[in-house]
């Protein structure tokens, strides 16, 4: 999943089409093989195909095609396949994960007699419904924003009044331009929902002739897997949810405070670790100092003719993003401490080296906005109230982001909070990390409490998406082979201490 940042301008406004009185989805059974080169894949060990699905399962007016990649079982496929559900949703989709296909098929003996299936969802690359508004003219909005920012300002310094009076109209024009462009291509908001994508999974199952399937859902992929679990439990052998996103979470509104919560959880780990606390006893205070300094006096840097900048929010965003993967954890305290010293002594060598990667960039994945603004309601007053609770972390989240949240949700028409009963006995394995910044451990506790046959594995000092970790791999392999008789491996009790980096004096 991704943070909603500056170029939410690329998010769009699309009419909702009329509904239908039909109550039974018109599941597709149309699949045909194709050359993998059509998806820029140069592999002879993979089977590639196209799944044709209706744009709307209850009132179809056209069809979309979805790209499918299958790693066939090494032997006879006598067991039900595993379908991988990627996070995001992202513009690139799952087909860029060829290395993950290889890793899964080579690390799990279960794929000796199981097919492994990857595919890109509606709206993603290589689908006929690929969402892109690159041809829409956004020059007026960009010019208005540039004028408002000036030479010494950044996004985090824009206030609500400035957004409303200076850039809202041009921002809205950009959204409407994108809406008109996509509508002319026959792409409507109503067609890009988690519910339709769940029906796509059922179309895939039926088209390929599988009696039952297994789902491996990571991040947003877990949200989609839960949707399928609610709709088609009888067709599931098992489900794995890694970094789980429940359907009833406060996901979009939670984004305002999750920076603070995630970073503070990490600081607590450092505080309890003798090595980290010994080297960085004032880590939180140093972080707040650096963030507030960069908020009040953003750092601008020019390298090879390109201009870069870091302000308080962009620093917080990048520290937050580094919390996704445990592999980054050891160096975060050192990075903060060094930035603190550079600002104190007015020597910005390290900050210059970070500037080219820490400058905020746009999120161009339209499908992310399509899905999440329909799945998760937001309210401006709630967002503003959440920002008021940030306290000393106030400069980690800008009013600009709150206002773009509001605009995008309003133009999409939004959804309502739902909570599914999950009245089935499908075996479900949940994997979460105590330091997951985007789908925190209490999301996993939420869904575990509501499922009938689930096991929640919590890995200490791990972040987001952990089935590839040593313990996650062991748990996953055991689960796929035993399911209803599954017992977690002993490694779930490991403390997994972080080996924090401390520079030699």
């Amino acid at each position: 999943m991704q943070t909603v940042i500056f170029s939410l301008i690329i998010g769009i406004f699309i009419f909702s089409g009329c509904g239908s009185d039909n109550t039974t989805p018109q599941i597709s059974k149309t699949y045909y093989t194709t050359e993998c080169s059509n998806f820029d894949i140069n592999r002879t060990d993979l089977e590639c195909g196209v799944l044709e699905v209706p744009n709307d399962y209850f009132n179809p007016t056209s069809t979309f095609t979805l790209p499918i990649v299958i790693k066939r079982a090494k032997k006879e496929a006598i067991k039900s396949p595993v379908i991988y559900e990627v996070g995001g949703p992202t513009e690139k989709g799952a087909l860029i994960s060829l290395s993950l296909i290889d890793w899964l098929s080579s690390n799990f003996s279960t794929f000796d007699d199981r097919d492994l299936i990857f595919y890109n969802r509606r709206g993603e690359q290589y689908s006929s419904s690929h969402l892109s508004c690159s041809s829409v003219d956004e020059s007026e909005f960009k010019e208005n924003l540039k004028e408002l920012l000036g030479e010494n300002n950044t996004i985090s310094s824009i206030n609500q009044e400035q957004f409303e009076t200076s850039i809202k109209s041009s921002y809205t024009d950009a959204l409407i331009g994108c809406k008109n462009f996509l509508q002319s291509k026959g792409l409507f908001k109503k067609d890009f929902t988690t519910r339709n994508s769940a029906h796509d999974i059922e179309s895939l199952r039926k088209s390929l002739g599988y009696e039952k399937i297994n789902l491996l859902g990571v991040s947003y992929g877990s949200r989609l897997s839960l949707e399928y679990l609610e709709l088609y439990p009888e067709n599931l052998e098992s489900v794995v949810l890694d970094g789980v996103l429940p359907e009833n979470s406060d996901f979009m509104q939670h984004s305002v405070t999750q920076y603070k919560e995630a970073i503070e959880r990490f600081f607590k780990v450092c505080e309890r670790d003798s090595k980290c606390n010994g080297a960085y006893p004032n880590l939180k205070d140093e972080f707040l100092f650096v963030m507030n300094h960069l908020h009040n006096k953003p750092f601008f840097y020019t390298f090879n003719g390109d201009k870069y900048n870091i302000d308080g929010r962009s620093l917080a965003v990048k520290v937050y993003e580094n919390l996704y993967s445990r592999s980054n954890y050891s160096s975060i305290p050192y990075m903060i401490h060094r930035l603190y010293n550079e600002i104190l002594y007015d020597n910005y060598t390290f900050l210059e080296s970070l500037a080219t990667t820490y400058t905020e960039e746009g999120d161009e994945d339209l499908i992310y906005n399509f899905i999440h603004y329909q799945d998760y309601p937001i309210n401006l007053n709630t967002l503003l109230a959440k920002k008021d609770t940030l306290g000393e972390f106030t400069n980690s989240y800008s009013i600009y982001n709150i206002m773009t949240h509001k605009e995008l949700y309003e133009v999409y028409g939004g959804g309502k909070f739902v909570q599914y009963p999950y009245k089935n006995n499908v075996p479900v394995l949940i994997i979460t990390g105590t330091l997951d910044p985007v789908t925190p451990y209490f999301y996993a506790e939420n869904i575990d409490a509501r499922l009938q046959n689930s096991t929640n594995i919590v890995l200490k000092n791990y972040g987001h998406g952990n089935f590839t970790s040593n313990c996650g791999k062991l748990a996953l392999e055991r689960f796929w082979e035993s399911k209803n008789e599954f017992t977690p491996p002993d490694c779930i009790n490991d403390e997994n201490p972080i080996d924090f980096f401390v520079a030699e004096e």
Side-chain angles (χ1 to χ4, degrees), residues 79 108-111 113-114 237 475-486:
K79 295 181 181 178
F108 294 95
S109 59
T110 191
F111 293 112
D113 45 19
R114 288 187 201 274
E237 185 177 281
L476 188 55
E477 185 160 33
R478 184 179 294 185
F479 176 74
W480 275 335
E481 294 306 315
S482 59
K483 296 186 177 63
N484 284 307
E485 290 75 39
F486 170 72

Side-chain angles (χ1 to χ4, degrees), residues 466-501:
N466 298 305
F467 76 86
T468 59
S469 67
N470 289 336
C471 192
K473 175 179 174 291
L474 184 59
L476 188 55
E477 185 160 33
R478 184 179 294 185
F479 176 74
W480 275 335
E481 294 306 315
S482 59
K483 296 186 177 63
N484 284 307
E485 290 75 39
F486 170 72
T487 56
D490 292 339
C491 58
I492 66 168
N493 299 312
D494 293 348
E495 292 298 322
N496 303 316
I498 301 167
D499 185 15
F500 288 101
F501 173 74

Side-chain angles (χ1 to χ4, degrees), residues 139-186:
S139 58
E140 181 183 357
F141 169 73
K142 292 179 178 179
E143 284 301 313
N144 289 348
L145 185 62
K146 182 178 180 181
E147 182 177 346
L148 178 61
L149 293 175
E151 290 297 322
N152 299 307
N153 246 334
T154 60
I155 285 172
S156 64
S157 63
I158 295 177
N159 61 40
Q160 185 173 345
E161 182 181 359
Q162 288 173 320
F163 182 91
E164 294 280 4
T165 60
S166 300
I167 59 178
K168 180 179 178 179
S169 61
S170 56
Y171 177 90
T172 304
D173 286 345
L175 298 183
I176 292 174
C178 189
K179 174 267 296 186
N180 291 336
F181 173 73
L182 290 172
Q183 183 175 313
S184 71
K185 295 171 62 177

Side-chain angles (χ1 to χ4, degrees), residues 262-429:
I263 292 171
E264 287 196 310
R265 281 195 296 269
F266 181 78
F267 289 163
K268 286 292 185 183
V269 173
C270 178
E271 186 180 326
R272 293 191 293 264
D273 184 275
S274 59
K275 181 179 179 181
C276 187
N277 193 53
Y280 315 109
N282 304 306
L283 184 62
K284 178 179 176 180
D285 290 339
E286 290 182 358
F287 170 77
L288 292 172
F289 173 84
V290 174
M291 182 181 67
N292 291 327
H293 176 87
L294 292 174
H295 174 79
N296 295 319
K297 187 180 179 182
F299 178 74
F300 290 84
Y301 178 60
T302 300
F303 180 71
N304 288 340
D306 294 323
K307 295 181 178 180
Y308 304 94
N309 71 276
I310 304 177
D311 65 355
R313 171 166 153 67
S314 59
L315 174 71
V317 166
K318 290 301 180 180
V319 172
Y320 169 79
E321 290 177 351
N322 278 335
L323 293 175
Y324 274 59
S325 173
R326 177 180 162 90
S327 63
N328 300 322
Y329 290 175
S330 64
S331 60
I332 291 175
Y334 168 76
M335 178 194 75
I336 293 171
H337 183 65
R338 182 164 176 180
L339 291 175
Y340 172 77
N341 282 315
E342 286 202 347
I343 290 172
L344 281 184
Y345 296 106
D346 199 29
N347 177 5
Y348 299 105
T349 306
F350 187 53
L351 196 55
E352 288 176 354
S353 70
L354 293 180
T356 55
T357 57
Y358 272 41
T359 294
E360 287 193 84
E361 296 179 354
D363 173 3
E364 298 181 356
D365 289 335
L366 289 177
I367 186 61
Y368 179 90
N369 297 327
F370 264 71
I371 294 291
H372 289 305
Y373 282 102
Q374 293 185 79
D375 272 0
Y376 297 103
I378 66 168
N379 176 275
L380 177 59
N381 290 335
T382 302
L383 293 173
L384 293 173
K386 283 181 176 289
K387 190 173 191 301
D388 288 342
T389 68
L390 288 174
E392 57 196 358
F393 278 77
T394 295
N395 293 334
S396 70
Y397 204 88
S398 71
I399 193 69
Y400 177 86
N401 295 87
I402 286 179
M403 298 308 296
T404 53
H405 257 322
K406 168 184 173 289
E407 293 298 310
L408 284 165
Y409 182 74
E410 287 186 356
V411 299
Y412 287 142
K416 297 179 180 179
F417 280 117
V418 296
Q419 180 166 308
Y420 298 145
Y422 298 119
K423 294 181 179 179
N424 60 74
N425 202 42
V426 175
V428 178
L429 173 64

Side-chain angles (χ1 to χ4, degrees), residues 77-94:
I78 59 175
K79 295 181 181 178
S80 56
V82 172
I83 299 178
Y84 178 72
E85 291 294 344
V86 72
T90 66
E91 187 266 343
K92 294 294 185 182

